Amino acid sequence: FLMHKVWDSEAECIALAATRARVVDFFWRNPDPEVVRIVHGEGALACWQVGSREEAIRAAEAGCDLVVAQGIEAGGHVRGTFSLLALLDEVLEAVDVPVIAAGGISGGRAMAAVLASGATAVRVGTRFVAAEEAGAHPVYLNVLFGARAKDTVYTEAFGANWPNAPHRVLRSSLEAAQRFEGDVVAEYTSQYTGNQLVMRKFEAFAAPLRATGHIEAAPHWAGEGVGAVRRLQPAAEIIREMAGEAEDLLKKWG
């Protein structure tokens, strides 16, 4: 939820989410005690994704039950401004609530590293783009499978509909968008309304599975852990693979 103030409709939306989910997760704006109160009032847990020690402290003071510490290595929109391990060191020292690590975690080794550093759990994004259940566009997947950390870029370029919001994408998609001379990058049919919709150049939307057009110029979100993404897999298989490798490494490290 992105908000400056909790209007009545937003409060209703948050309350409804809290009746349907065990955890309601917030991102981007400053931690707000009012929305945490709404979540708790419906019996759910409140979580806030943060990018700094100060923000983590505000989240804990607002009553959040847990926080997600997101490093600059993350794909998609990025709250963090420096590396995850450095951020974890500051956040773990500053708050008593459980801390989930996020940013660049796509394989078991990275997962083991942050758990060994004191994180309670991990949040994984880029690896699950390649989950069969995600329905990512084949053009996006094909580029993702061949990418490495050096192929990602931290930018604000895809901000036509969300300005001043840093994010990390594959450099190839940024370069394709910069070369693209038109306005409409892709078209697709809404799965909810059946309406024909368009994606415009530099908008912050990933192309849906059945979109047509210049998909290479749509944002291809990817974190620095993209090198671990090599094939399409069921989500359960990804979890077993990552958790198994992390468990083996943690045992090895003692």
Side-chain angles (χ1 to χ4, degrees):
F1 291 92
L2 308 176
M3 63 190 77
H4 294 284
K5 178 180 178 181
V6 183
W7 303 102
D8 289 344
S9 58
E10 290 172 335
E12 292 170 4
C13 197
I14 294 166
L16 178 60
T19 65
R20 303 290 182 87
R22 181 71 180 112
V23 179
V24 180
D25 193 20
F26 299 92
F27 179 51
W28 207 258
R29 297 301 177 192
N30 289 323
D32 187 336
E34 184 179 351
V35 300
V36 174
R37 179 188 58 76
I38 295 169
V39 170
H40 286 167
E42 299 297 337
L45 301 175
C47 177
W48 216 286
Q49 185 158 278
V50 304
S52 68
R53 176 182 183 274
E54 293 73 23
E55 197 172 23
I57 291 172
R58 289 197 297 272
E61 290 177 344
C64 288
D65 303 284
L66 59 161
V67 298
V68 178
Q70 185 201 45
I72 199 170
E73 304 94 332
H77 285 88
V78 185
R79 191 67 168 173
T81 57
F82 52 97
S83 71
L84 174 58
L85 288 178
L87 177 61
L88 271 179
D89 190 44
E90 291 194 358
V91 171
L92 288 167
E93 184 180 58
V95 301
D96 293 327
V97 298
V99 177
I100 300 169
I105 304 169
S106 293
R109 185 173 298 278
M111 182 177 179
V114 295
L115 292 176
S117 296
T120 300
V122 299
R123 168 165 289 177
V124 179
T126 304
R127 183 70 183 270
F128 284 109
V129 173
E132 292 176 356
E133 297 88 341
H137 198 283
V139 172
Y140 183 4
L141 289 173
N142 287 339
V143 182
L144 202 67
F145 293 154
R148 299 286 180 184
K150 65 181 178 59
D151 299 315
T152 71
V153 60
Y154 178 76
T155 179
E156 294 185 14
F158 290 98
N161 59 327
W162 187 358
N164 306 312
H167 43 268
R168 186 176 296 279
V169 297
L170 292 178
R171 182 178 284 103
S172 60
S173 66
L174 173 59
E175 293 174 347
Q178 290 170 335
R179 292 193 301 268
F180 184 68
E181 295 182 354
D183 177 44
V184 175
V185 170
E187 300 180 358
Y188 64 99
T189 302
S190 170
Q191 62 177 316
Y192 303 108
T193 66
N195 294 336
Q196 281 294 115
L197 302 175
V198 299
M199 292 175 53
R200 301 191 183 279
K201 182 177 178 179
F202 288 125
E203 285 188 337
F205 295 122
L209 177 60
R210 291 182 173 33
T212 59
H214 301 271
I215 309 303
E216 68 280 359
H220 294 166
W221 314 115
E224 289 186 352
V226 67
V229 185
R230 283 293 167 262
R231 65 189 188 281
L232 194 64
Q233 298 172 271
E237 184 178 301
I238 293 173
I239 293 170
R240 284 194 299 269
E241 191 175 291
M242 289 186 63
E245 183 182 353
E247 186 176 9
D248 289 344
L249 285 169
L250 289 169
K251 287 178 180 177
K252 180 180 176 180
W253 296 341

